[in-house]
Structures are given as C-alpha cells and as structure tokens.
Amino acid sequence: MSKGKGKRSAEGAGGNGMDVDSGDERDESELRALRDETVDVEFEVNDPLESDFHALKTLLKQLFVQAPVDLSSGADTIIAMTDYVGCVIRVLNGDEGDGQPAACYGVISAFNLQQWQEKPFVRDVRALLLQKSAKHAGAKDAARFAALLAGAEGDVGYVVNERVANVPVELAPPMHANLLREIGWAVEDGEPYKFSHVVYLCKSYAVMEETSDDAPSLRGPHGKRSKRAGRGAAAAELHYCHFEDSLLEQVAVLKFSYPIELGGDGGLTERPTLETGEKLLPHRTCLVVPMDRVESAVALMQQTFGVAGDAIN
C-alpha cells in the first residue's frame, strides 16, 4: 500500500539552544528565536511538504559539511518521495503566522544508491562515500564497500537521519520504525526500496587535547592520547551526536570515519567546544547495516528509550 497522507504525531519534551548552519532566512530566524531559551513544546511527525525545501536543505547542510553534494537535489528528492517514504518533525500546532506549516526540525528518509544515480544528490553521495572509504577505511573494508555500491549483493539504501540539537531523542525510535514500515509498504507496491544493506552517515566527534608543543592531539579510549589530529583518526575515541547511532553501530558489518577540518568552502570557521572548554574535531561515521538487522536495531532503540514503535499513527 502507498503511504497515507494523514498527520502522524509523537510527543516529546522541548529543549534549548537549537543550533543549525545558515539556510533559508525564515527557517533560520525561527531557530534563532528559540536559541538560549528554555521552551516546553510538543512535536508532531508528518509528511514533507514543498514548503520544507529550505529547512530540509539546511538539515542536509548540517550533515554534509564541506562536501560537494547537491543539497537542493536532496531536498527535492525527499519531498518527491513523500508518497512512499520519509517524514519530518514539526512543532505541534505550530505555524508561520501566514497559514504555512511550521518549519521542520528533523527528517528521516531513504534513497536507492543504485537505481537513482541520475539524481545529483545520490550521485554525489555515492562519490563522496567511495572517496572517503578509499582513504579512511582499511583496504578490505574499502573493497567490500565499493562492491556493495556496485550492486554485488543487491540494491543499497542510504538513510538520511538528521535533526536540530535538542529535539528529543525519544522521537528517534518511532521515526526509524515508521521508516521501516514505509519501506516495507513501498516494496509491496513494487517501488525500488528492496535493499540488501542500508548506509547511515552519522555525525560524530573526537575530543582534542593540547600537547606541550601546542600541537593538538585526539583523545583515545580511556583518556589516552592518540595520533595527532588529521592523521589516523581511527585511533581516536569517537562519540555520536545522535545517541541512536551508537545502537546502529552494534549491528553494522562495516564502519569507517573521517574528520571534518577547519576552512574550505562551506566548512567550519572554528572548532566546536564542550562546556569544559575542550575543543572537538567533528567527524562523519559511515555505518553499513544489513537490511535484515535494521529491525533489531530499531527494537534496541525502543528498548533503550522506552518508546513504542507505533507511537506514530
């Protein structure tokens, strides 16, 4: 069956300090208005709309920092797929004051990395991940990853899962469960969502330390210093920005990470810091999960956060 167009809702506690990269002025101003405030809000999860284009592009920009990826194509494709898969997070009963729905604060959707290569976003994501795997994964993992994207074991999906800071993590389990159901319905309809594996690109970070010679190093497991920043990042202890990604990692069969450096077109101008003053080196971690393990990962999310998968109706 095709995905229904009715509203689906989920509740969560609000947060403060929502930070995103620059994007559409309307969406960014709404986020800035909430910055440094403590707000008590409820969220709803429903279908992407054409009016979400700029907000979706902003969310994708958070994920693809410094990457030569066509974000407009990505936002357009998410909206175009709404009859089958994908949903966004909004403030419950929110609107822009002009009859338009409130800006979206998060998104989850899926792309076919084999059959949709004519779409600029899919083409760019494939090229980016193949380049990064060749440089940052081991030779064996890089070869397997390239074979998977070449279709050696069937079609591979890419799941985009992004939200602004402090959107409650309790929304993650029902969103992932809902996407899994929608993929199943789309397969029943003969749509190209039958995947052997699913790729997740996750935001992660390493904590940096200043050494005696003022050259930064990365903190490894158990607080030990690892190799200098920019080299051998795999030795550093990485933490995920979205906690549910650590649960996806538990069922992944392949993983590699790469750092996001300062500078560059559309890149970071300064390193983010913790409240302790320690600076962070942002990374992106690519996880490859067999499709038959995704359901167990979603079940683990539900168990961890105590949220039922049918919270989205």
Side-chain angles (χ1 to χ4, degrees), residues 8-236:
R8 296 152 296 171
S9 64
E11 296 183 357
N16 60 359
M18 295 184 179
D19 297 323
V20 299
D21 293 317
S22 61
D24 177 70
E25 292 181 0
R26 186 195 70 187
D27 299 319
E28 186 178 7
S29 64
E30 180 174 343
L31 296 175
R32 288 185 182 278
L34 293 176
R35 188 169 306 200
D36 299 325
E37 287 186 41
T38 299
V39 293
D40 185 14
V41 298
E42 293 181 347
F43 293 90
E44 64 179 0
V45 180
N46 52 31
D47 293 337
L49 303 172
E50 290 187 7
S51 58
D52 292 322
F53 172 83
H54 293 289
L56 290 170
K57 188 175 176 182
T58 297
L59 288 166
L60 292 174
K61 186 177 180 181
Q62 290 182 184
L63 190 58
F64 292 101
V65 176
Q66 290 185 343
V69 174
D70 191 326
L71 305 181
S72 295
S73 169
D76 280 335
T77 305
I78 290 171
I79 294 168
M81 296 188 302
T82 187
D83 284 341
Y84 293 101
V85 302
C87 58
V88 297
I89 301 171
R90 306 184 200 280
V91 174
L92 182 64
N93 297 324
D95 61 60
E96 297 291 337
D98 56 2
Q100 294 294 320
C104 64
Y105 293 87
V107 62
I108 190 168
S109 194
F111 300 77
N112 190 313
L113 292 179
Q114 266 75 38
Q115 298 193 33
W116 295 355
Q117 294 185 53
E118 77 284 355
K119 299 181 185 298
F121 177 76
V122 172
R123 177 198 63 212
D124 294 345
V125 169
R126 282 177 55 92
L128 173 72
L129 295 180
L130 285 169
Q131 177 193 37
K132 296 300 185 182
S133 66
K135 183 176 180 180
H136 296 280
K140 183 177 180 180
D141 284 346
R144 186 181 180 192
F145 186 73
L148 284 172
L149 290 197
E153 298 183 35
D155 286 357
V156 174
Y158 163 60
V159 169
V160 58
N161 171 42
E162 186 54 62
R163 58 184 181 268
V164 301
N166 292 341
V167 167
V169 69
E170 288 81 7
L171 285 175
M175 289 185 73
H176 280 270
N178 193 61
L179 180 66
L180 194 59
R181 286 196 298 269
E182 291 176 345
I183 288 175
W185 295 337
V187 171
E188 290 177 3
D189 284 349
E191 298 297 322
Y193 292 92
K194 187 175 182 179
F195 304 133
S196 66
H197 295 74
V198 177
V199 172
Y200 298 86
L201 187 62
C202 312
K203 293 192 300 186
S204 54
Y205 63 90
V207 179
M208 303 183 67
E209 294 181 342
E210 296 297 327
T211 60
S212 57
D213 58 359
D214 294 326
S217 64
L218 301 179
R219 181 180 299 171
H222 311 298
K224 296 180 180 179
R225 288 175 179 167
S226 64
K227 298 180 181 180
R228 297 290 171 86
R231 297 182 60 197

